[in-house]
Amino acid sequence: MQQLHFPAYSFRFKSSENKISIFDEIRKKFVILTPEEWVRQHVVQFLIQEKKYPKSHINVEKELILNATKKRYDVVVFNKDGSIHIIIECKAPAVKISQNTFDQVARYNLSLNASYLMVTNGLQHYYCQLDYENQQYVFLKDLPLHS
C-alpha cells in the first residue's frame, strides 16, 4: 500500500482467498484492505496515538439516516457525554479532496452536530472547527488533543 502522510504505525494483516485484510482495533475484526481502508486505519491510529483519544470514544463505519437515505460515516469521535466531537471523512489516496468531499461531510454533520470535521485522503488533511453561531467553518492546522 501507498505511503501516507501520517506517522508510521504497525498493523496486523492476514491473507485469505487472495485478499489481504487489516485488523481494525475499533471494530475488533479483520476488514478487507482497500485504499480507503488503509487511510481509515491510519486515521484511527492517528487519533489514538497522536491525539490521545480513547478507543472507547471512537466509532468506525456506522450507518446514519440522512433525508430518509442510509449513509455511512467513516470515523466519529465522541465526547464523554455521548455528543459528537469529530466527524472524519476518509477517501482513497487517488481521490482528490474537492468541494464535494466537504459537502458530503457537511451533510452528515446536519444530523450529527460535531464540533470538528476532518477530511483526508491520507496525503492531504483538512481540519475545520464549526462555528454554529456564525454558520461557518474555521480551518485549523490540526485537530485538538483529547482533553
Side-chain angles (χ1 to χ4, degrees):
M1 279 281 152
Q2 181 174 355
Q3 181 73 36
L4 302 177
H5 293 167
F6 284 105
Y9 301 116
S10 60
F11 296 101
R12 290 173 40 205
F13 300 96
K14 79 173 185 179
S15 180
S16 67
E17 300 176 20
N18 295 327
K19 293 192 178 182
I20 298 173
S21 295
I22 187 168
F23 189 75
D24 182 319
E25 284 188 49
I26 305 304
R27 291 179 276 184
K28 295 181 173 54
K29 66 179 184 176
F30 281 94
V31 293
I32 299 292
L33 181 58
T34 63
E36 183 176 319
E37 191 62 47
W38 183 237
V39 173
R40 189 167 23 252
Q41 292 307 314
H42 277 78
V43 165
V44 167
Q45 292 306 312
F46 171 74
L47 292 168
I48 294 167
Q49 295 187 39
E50 314 309 320
K51 297 301 172 184
K52 308 301 182 199
Y53 287 96
K55 288 181 201 176
S56 61
H57 289 206
I58 301 171
N59 207 314
V60 175
E61 282 240 295
K62 291 287 188 202
E63 192 174 271
L64 68 126
I65 307 293
L66 193 60
N67 296 329
T69 308
K70 291 181 181 181
K71 302 286 184 186
R72 292 182 86 75
Y73 60 70
D74 285 309
V75 181
V76 162
V77 179
F78 292 93
N79 291 307
K80 288 178 192 157
D81 67 3
S83 62
I84 296 182
H85 187 56
I86 307 168
I87 303 171
I88 302 163
E89 179 60 31
C90 301
K91 297 294 183 192
V95 176
K96 284 186 78 74
I97 303 295
S98 66
Q99 185 62 49
N100 288 342
T101 313
F102 284 98
D103 292 347
Q104 179 183 0
V105 76
R107 278 192 302 275
Y108 293 172
N109 197 46
L110 290 173
S111 63
L112 299 175
N113 297 314
S115 302
Y116 296 91
L117 305 177
M118 175 182 177
V119 174
T120 183
N121 63 4
L123 304 174
Q124 296 177 290
H125 317 301
Y126 296 95
Y127 313 101
C128 306
Q129 183 172 13
L130 285 111
D131 177 353
Y132 287 101
E133 193 173 307
N134 296 307
Q135 298 186 341
Q136 65 184 14
Y137 301 118
V138 178
F139 281 87
L140 306 171
K141 290 187 189 304
D142 203 351
L143 288 176
L145 283 170
H146 179 260
S147 50

